[in-house]
Amino acid sequence: MKKITPASLKKSLFASIDDILEHKDKYLVNPQTAFSRTQKISFHDAMLFPIVAASESTSVEMLDFLPVSKMPSQPAMNYRRDQIKVSAFSNLFKDFTAKLPQNKTYHGMHLIACDGTRLNTPYNPKDPESFVCNIEGRKGFNQYHLNTCYDVLNDMFTDAVIQGYFSMNEKQAFCEMMDRYPKDKPALFIADRGYASYNVIAHAMHNDHNFVIRLTSAMAKNIFDCVKEFTNLEEFDIEEVIHVGRIRTKEAMSYPNYHCIHSRYQYDYIPAGDKKIDAFQVRLVKIKLSSGEDEYLLTNLAQSEFTISDLKYIYRRRWRIETAYRCLKYVSGMVHIHSIKNHFIFQEIYAKLIGYNYCAAIMRSTKAKNSDNKKYIYVT
């Protein structure tokens, strides 16, 4: 594979922007008139500005971004960005990310961690999706929830779902991202206990994805009745078939490990009242932590191929998405939003995801310095 350099990354990013412009009917609000004349702010400038904008105000960031000889006003930049749909940035994120090398795998699978983080945005009480004022006498605040898939071995964000504070649903976002993950790239999804549900398991299994999900002890006992028999063991490894349905007939209840999903709970593969029953081969592993606490992992990886030690290694890799979020928010600058408009906020979120992947790709391509005679090893 051709070596990645800053010049080649820039070329790939610009090519992706050119492709967006070629399909302007899909990505511009008024494709017949928008960016049809030569202006101080080109389409490339309007797309690149949210990627490179840092913590200063829009007018100050424009001084660093554009040459003084062609410096437009701040309203001019906002006018240009208003002409671009959010889908242009989301598609740019996916198209550019797809061009980046993703060579590192584990047993031939990409390790994809899924998690979410909250983003405080500029104060805007007129936004019903994000404005929160639940304490009398307080001013209130605005907050969105960003759900992402993150390739932990290749250090890149691969997908994202943005939700308002009142429409936040991490499990549904996880299912949506699993559904659209490329089928030709084997993946192993890793998630914390907040994502454990029968609907999530069903989406993974129906899409032929592997998964490792942490469970609470209550959820572990709910899925496997026999867990109670092994509570005194520091570690155990159980592999059984669970059955999931929507009815409580005598025939359905006769299935071993049968779980009836109430109509008020989401299960996308069986409508309420339908007699269909899903059967999934899953595996429950109990691990004793050094702190003395018990940890339960649910997976569909075969016992014959993946040991308990392998599962420990896989789940530990999930922590990398936490450090990636820290860099995304405070190094890449996602916490510094430059507008109260919803579509501008979404533009900047996708732009910062692009910026993170761009910088991470450069870091991966950089060779570590020779440290044979040094006390510490350089890490890139």
Side-chain angles (χ1 to χ4, degrees):
M1 182 176 289
K2 189 176 179 181
K3 182 182 177 182
I4 291 293
T5 64
S8 65
L9 280 174
K10 181 179 178 181
K11 185 177 179 180
S12 294
L13 179 59
F14 278 33
S16 295
I17 295 176
D18 287 337
D19 186 63
I20 296 290
L21 187 57
E22 287 178 10
H23 299 85
K24 60 182 182 180
D25 289 350
K26 293 169 56 178
Y27 301 117
L28 298 183
V29 176
N30 296 303
Q32 287 76 28
T33 58
F35 298 97
S36 59
R37 295 183 300 161
T38 301
Q39 297 286 344
K40 291 183 178 181
I41 302 176
S42 67
F43 180 75
H44 274 72
D45 292 337
M47 293 292 289
L48 289 172
F49 179 74
I51 298 176
V52 302
S55 60
E56 300 294 340
S57 64
T58 300
S59 56
V60 173
E61 293 297 336
M62 287 173 63
L63 290 172
D64 293 332
F65 179 67
L66 296 169
V68 176
S69 59
K70 56 176 287 187
M71 181 59 60
S73 63
Q74 177 181 336
M77 176 62 79
N78 293 338
Y79 175 74
R80 283 305 203 185
R81 288 180 60 187
D82 255 330
Q83 295 176 319
I84 305 173
K85 296 180 180 178
V86 175
S87 58
F89 286 86
S90 63
N91 194 74
L92 177 62
F93 163 60
K94 294 173 185 176
D95 186 63
F96 174 67
T97 301
K99 296 177 181 178
L100 298 176
Q102 302 175 37
N103 307 322
K104 296 181 180 179
T105 59
Y106 180 78
H107 289 251
M109 298 178 292
H110 292 273
L111 297 187
I112 307 296
C114 184
D115 207 347
T117 186
R118 298 189 181 190
L119 298 172
N120 289 330
T121 56
Y123 180 72
N124 180 15
K126 295 181 180 180
D127 181 11
E129 274 293 297
S130 67
F131 182 66
V132 184
C133 187
N134 47 19
I135 301 178
E136 188 176 352
R138 294 286 183 91
K139 182 180 179 181
F141 60 93
N142 290 77
Q143 192 174 86
Y144 282 91
H145 194 78
L146 173 64
N147 305 271
T148 62
C149 280
Y150 172 76
D151 190 325
V152 299
L153 298 182
N154 294 291
D155 189 19
M156 68 172 66
F157 290 95
T158 61
D159 202 354
V161 174
I162 306 169
Q163 298 171 327
Y165 181 90
F166 296 102
S167 60
M168 183 179 70
N169 187 332
E170 289 187 321
K171 294 174 184 175
Q172 186 58 34
F174 188 18
C175 293
E176 182 180 333
M177 291 187 286
M178 281 195 291
D179 288 346
R180 64 191 184 204
Y181 189 86
K183 299 296 188 293
D184 59 341
K185 291 172 58 178
L188 171 55
F189 287 89
I190 316 167
D192 206 355
R193 56 190 174 186
Y195 290 89
S197 75
Y198 293 108
N199 195 43
V200 166
I201 296 169
H203 276 266
M205 299 295 281
H206 281 279
N207 284 292
D208 295 324
H209 294 318
N210 292 305
F211 62 87
V212 174
I213 301 176
R214 184 183 174 190
L215 303 179
T216 62
S217 59
M219 184 72 173
K221 293 172 183 177
N222 178 272
I223 294 179
F224 288 91
D225 292 334
C226 60
V227 169
K228 300 171 185 177
E229 303 173 18
F230 304 102
T231 51
N232 295 327
L233 298 179
E234 289 193 354
E235 292 187 343
F236 60 71
D237 191 345
I238 309 168
E239 192 172 39
E240 290 189 14
V241 176
I242 63 171
H243 296 85
V244 181
R246 289 285 200 175
I247 55 176
R248 288 188 177 274
T249 62
K250 185 177 180 180
E251 181 184 357
M253 298 297 289
S254 66
Y255 283 93
N257 277 325
Y258 178 74
H259 304 275
C260 180
I261 309 299
H262 194 277
S263 58
R264 69 173 177 270
Y265 294 119
Q266 188 168 0
Y267 190 79
D268 297 327
Y269 292 93
I270 304 178
D274 195 288
K275 295 181 178 180
K276 179 185 174 183
I277 295 176
D278 278 341
F280 304 129
Q281 178 86 27
V282 293
R283 176 181 169 197
L284 180 66
V285 175
K286 177 185 176 183
I287 298 170
K288 179 68 72 173
L289 303 179
S290 58
S291 62
E293 296 180 68
D294 295 332
E295 187 168 274
Y296 295 90
L297 300 178
L298 184 73
T299 182
N300 58 347
L301 297 174
Q303 286 178 328
S304 58
E305 297 180 33
F306 296 89
T307 65
I308 292 180
S309 296
D310 292 330
L311 297 182
K312 289 179 180 179
Y313 170 83
I314 291 168
Y315 188 73
R316 281 200 301 268
R317 301 284 77 75
R318 192 207 69 84
W319 187 254
R320 293 188 179 184
I321 193 173
E322 305 289 354
T323 56
Y325 273 141
R326 183 180 63 190
C327 292
L328 177 67
K329 295 169 77 172
Y330 301 105
V331 178
S332 297
M334 188 178 279
V335 293
H336 303 293
I337 302 295
H338 296 83
S339 177
I340 65 172
K341 292 184 178 181
N342 281 5
H343 61 291
F344 278 11
I345 293 172
F346 293 171
Q347 284 181 5
E348 293 199 40
I349 291 174
Y350 283 114
K352 296 311 178 186
L353 289 168
I354 296 167
Y356 179 95
N357 287 352
Y358 188 101
C359 296
I362 293 177
M363 292 176 63
R364 290 196 305 274
S365 66
T366 304
K367 290 185 178 180
K369 297 180 180 179
N370 187 350
S371 56
D372 293 342
N373 300 318
K374 304 293 183 181
K375 182 177 179 181
Y376 300 106
I377 298 174
Y378 284 94
V379 177
T380 58

